[in-house]
Amino acid sequence: MPDPHDRAWKPIRVGAIDTVFLLDSIRVPPPLAVDGAPLIDAWNGGLECSLFGGDWQKPIAFQYARVLADAGMPDLCVGGGMRGAADIIEAIMLGATTVQVATQIVIQGYDWIARTNDKLEQLLEQSGAADLSTLRGHALRVRNHDAPETVRPVRAVVDPAKCDPCGVCTKLVFCAFIKSQASRVPVISDACYGCGLCAELCPQPGAIRMEAA
């Protein structure tokens, strides 16, 4: 898809298309052991598995939403990896008019809808927004295209006092800079460039934090 920020490119509006559904279920090779077998204990056979509703799905859905919103698509139904009210609001701020959250309802039951609606009300009150519609595309409007992009160097650091070695960061993040130690807290090398995925996936609050490099 062309870059909508390229001034030489103009979005092509097709009258018959007024809604795009971003419902996805990407299939990829599973993590493999050295013998070629999947490292997923409860799964055998096959060379691919679905990441539907997983942590890798949401960034892809958000990126498609942003690109299509920038291209001028009037209605976007975004789905894939949405886990709660904060994800729903983020999708809306990137241009979604509707957010699909079927996976969480299947996993947690219909009560999840009421709980999420309550959380949405709390987040709206905190933001000062009148309703969800006023947040649509907000992230696109606040960008400053004239300002140079800057990045503050950071790296991940493990807090030994808060880390109870569970293996999430060493087995699920697939990071070359994180090394496991038998029954001890993992070690993150100085080569870490601070993507933040390990801190996001860590189930223990504060066990991995991002610090200035």
Side-chain angles (χ1 to χ4, degrees):
M1 179 177 291
D3 182 354
H5 298 307
D6 183 351
R7 301 186 182 213
W9 177 75
K10 302 295 183 185
I12 299 175
R13 301 298 298 275
V14 180
I17 299 176
D18 57 13
T19 303
V20 174
F21 288 86
L22 304 179
L23 306 180
D24 39 34
S25 182
I26 294 178
R27 298 184 65 80
V28 299
L32 300 175
V34 292
D35 63 357
L39 283 174
I40 302 174
D41 293 336
W43 183 73
N44 290 298
L47 292 176
E48 60 180 25
C49 60
S50 176
L51 290 175
F52 182 81
D55 290 304
W56 296 356
Q57 203 77 20
K58 183 176 67 177
I60 297 172
F62 282 173
Q63 174 64 357
Y64 279 126
R66 196 239 356 131
V67 170
L68 290 172
D70 272 334
M73 295 302 299
D75 296 293
L76 298 173
C77 177
V78 179
M82 310 297 159
R83 298 194 173 211
D87 292 341
I88 293 172
I89 286 181
E90 191 170 351
I92 292 171
M93 289 194 296
L94 288 170
T97 50
T98 305
V99 181
Q100 183 273 131
V101 290
T103 302
Q104 292 305 311
I105 298 172
V106 170
I107 294 173
Q108 303 190 40
Y110 288 107
D111 289 345
W112 182 89
I113 299 174
R115 296 195 304 272
T116 302
N117 282 337
D118 291 341
K119 184 63 176 178
L120 283 170
E121 290 185 5
Q122 294 175 15
L123 293 176
L124 278 174
E125 184 176 352
Q126 293 172 13
S127 70
D131 51 44
L132 291 175
S133 65
T134 61
L135 291 178
R136 195 210 172 192
H138 180 67
L140 310 181
R141 294 190 294 271
V142 300
R143 291 174 300 185
N144 184 351
H145 295 297
D146 296 325
E149 183 178 277
T150 60
V151 177
R152 179 172 58 90
V154 296
R155 62 182 294 265
V157 176
V158 179
D159 186 337
K162 297 179 179 179
C163 175
D164 181 12
C166 63
V168 169
C169 66
T170 56
K171 296 178 181 177
L172 298 185
V173 178
F174 308 111
C175 177
F177 307 131
I178 302 176
K179 303 299 180 184
S180 61
Q181 302 186 101
S183 302
R184 297 170 58 192
V185 300
V187 174
I188 302 178
S189 76
D190 292 340
C192 166
Y193 51 80
C195 75
L197 182 59
C198 59
E200 179 180 343
L201 298 185
C202 178
Q204 303 167 53
I208 300 179
R209 62 179 182 274
M210 308 306 294
E211 292 186 351

